[in-house]
């Protein structure tokens, strides 16, 4: 693959390269410069040229890629992110209930696996004995459909909870087929909230107000955000402690991270200073393609340890789970995809203070 595959690298063409016949000087010892900090020295500044970095040199094959906790594979094996796979400890059952860690699944680009990740990560965390609430915050209601709820049959949804103060959370929350996993469903009515909230006082804190009485009763709350950076997404980020960014291993998805990181920075500065990126998750990964490996490598170069070691690979199982309305952990519990989401659950819980 040449440099023209990735736009934004044209500025490298003017460089005068050393002729191949001239001996090259010895390469300097690799160094890892510390990440720059902001004015307060708290949050590292994300490089704004991470989508324009030189072509990576990592050459991973399909045999290099294994689940993080593959019982049949050697430990310290190099994973799809180009780093040694960690030996994640088993997650112990919780000793108490709540308060919940609120995590938003956010990416303004559609089709990157937000809903699939929300459903399956929630189910994998619920397997550990933790009480999980999944909030469908997308007017398309995809997460509701993925858990067997038909949006057009709903009498009450998250829209009513946001806009009507006389509606209680227990009137809207539904139990799912998965033990310890509840759902706050959504339908097309939620699209009206985007317009109606504009005139509300403290409109960015509406979801925070709704979640306040719910948080003590759950261990983890996952919010499936809409594929936009509108007022609903800002509400989700304002109400959250952390963000998981599902990222399709494809170049346009990589470029879209710039807009998302800008929005996250504004929310941190103006609305929710406690908001942090829990991790960036590579999805729809196909290790057989050079393009997918290079995109994932560039993300690791820019975000380093913020990138999860777990990577979700392409599989035909995910469309099948949508049809039957259940997560991969119950539809195909022994599949590789289910193992990947259980590994992701271990990483998420290890990174969250309330895990």
């Amino acid at each position: 693959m040449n440099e023209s595959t990735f736009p934004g690298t044209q500025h490298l063409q003017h460089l005068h390269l050393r002729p191949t016949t001239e001996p090259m000087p010895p390469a300097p010892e690799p160094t890892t410069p510390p990440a720059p900090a902001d004015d307060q020295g708290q949050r590292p500044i994300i490089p704004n040229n991470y989508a324009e970095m030189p072509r990576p040199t990592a050459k991973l094959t399909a045999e290099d890629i294994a689940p993080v906790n593959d019982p049949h594979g050697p430990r310290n094996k190099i994973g799809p992110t180009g780093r040694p796979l960690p030996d994640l400890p088993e997650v112990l059952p919780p000793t108490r209930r709540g308060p919940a860690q609120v995590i938003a699944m956010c990416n303004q680009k559609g089709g990157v696996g937000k809903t699939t990740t929300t459903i399956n990560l929630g189910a994998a965390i619920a397997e550990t004995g933790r009480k999980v609430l999944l909030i469908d915050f997308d007017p398309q209601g995809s997460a509701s459909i993925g858990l067997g709820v038909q949006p057009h049959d709903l009498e009450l949804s998250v829209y009513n909870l946001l806009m009507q103060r006389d509606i209680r959370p227990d009137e809207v929350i539904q139990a799912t087929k998965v033990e310890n996993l509840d759902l706050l469903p959504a339908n097309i009515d939620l699209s009206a909230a985007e317009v109606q909230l504009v005139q509300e006082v403290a409109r960015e804190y509406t979801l925070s107000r709704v979640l306040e009485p719910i948080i003590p009763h759950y261990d983890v709350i996952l919010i499936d955000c809409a594929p936009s950076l509108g007022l609903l997404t800002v509400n989700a980020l304002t109400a959250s402690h952390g963000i998981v960014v599902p990222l399709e291993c494809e170049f346009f998805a990589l470029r879209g991270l710039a807009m998302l990181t800008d929005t996250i920075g504004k929310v941190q500065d103006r609305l929710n200073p406690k908001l942090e990126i829990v991790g960036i998750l590579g999805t729809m990964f196909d290790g057989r393609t050079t393009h997918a490996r290079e995109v994932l490598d560039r993300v690791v170069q820019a975000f380093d340890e913020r990138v999860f070691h777990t990577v979700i690979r392409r599989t035909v199982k995910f469309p099948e789970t949508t049809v039957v309305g259940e997560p991969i952990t119950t539809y195909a519990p022994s599949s590789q995809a289910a193992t990947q989401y259980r590994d992701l659950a271990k990483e998420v819980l290890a990174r969250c203070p309330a895990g």
Side-chain angles (χ1 to χ4, degrees), residues 131-135 173 181-184 214 218 220-222:
K131 189 71 172 176
V132 180
L133 174 65
L134 193 158
I135 300 178
I173 295 175
L181 181 64
D182 291 344
L183 171 68
L184 188 53
I214 304 176
Y218 290 91
V220 178
I221 296 177
L222 301 178

Side-chain angles (χ1 to χ4, degrees), residues 269-289:
D269 294 335
R270 305 173 187 178
L271 299 170
N272 184 6
K274 296 182 180 180
L275 182 66
E276 295 292 343
I277 297 179
V278 177
I280 298 173
L281 173 67
T283 62
M284 305 181 189
F285 179 73
D286 188 345
R288 297 170 298 179
T289 66

Side-chain angles (χ1 to χ4, degrees), residues 90 144 164 176 232:
E90 291 298 321
S144 302
Q164 299 174 232
T176 69
L232 289 178

Side-chain angles (χ1 to χ4, degrees), residues 214-225:
I214 304 176
I215 286 179
H217 304 288
Y218 290 91
D219 298 308
V220 178
I221 296 177
L222 301 178
I223 306 175
D224 181 29
C225 296

Side-chain angles (χ1 to χ4, degrees), residues 170-193:
D170 59 275
E171 298 180 72
V172 186
I173 295 175
Q174 299 186 16
T176 69
K177 302 174 184 178
V178 181
E179 186 179 2
N180 293 324
L181 181 64
D182 291 344
L183 171 68
L184 188 53
N187 56 20
I188 194 62
D189 293 344
L190 185 60
S191 60

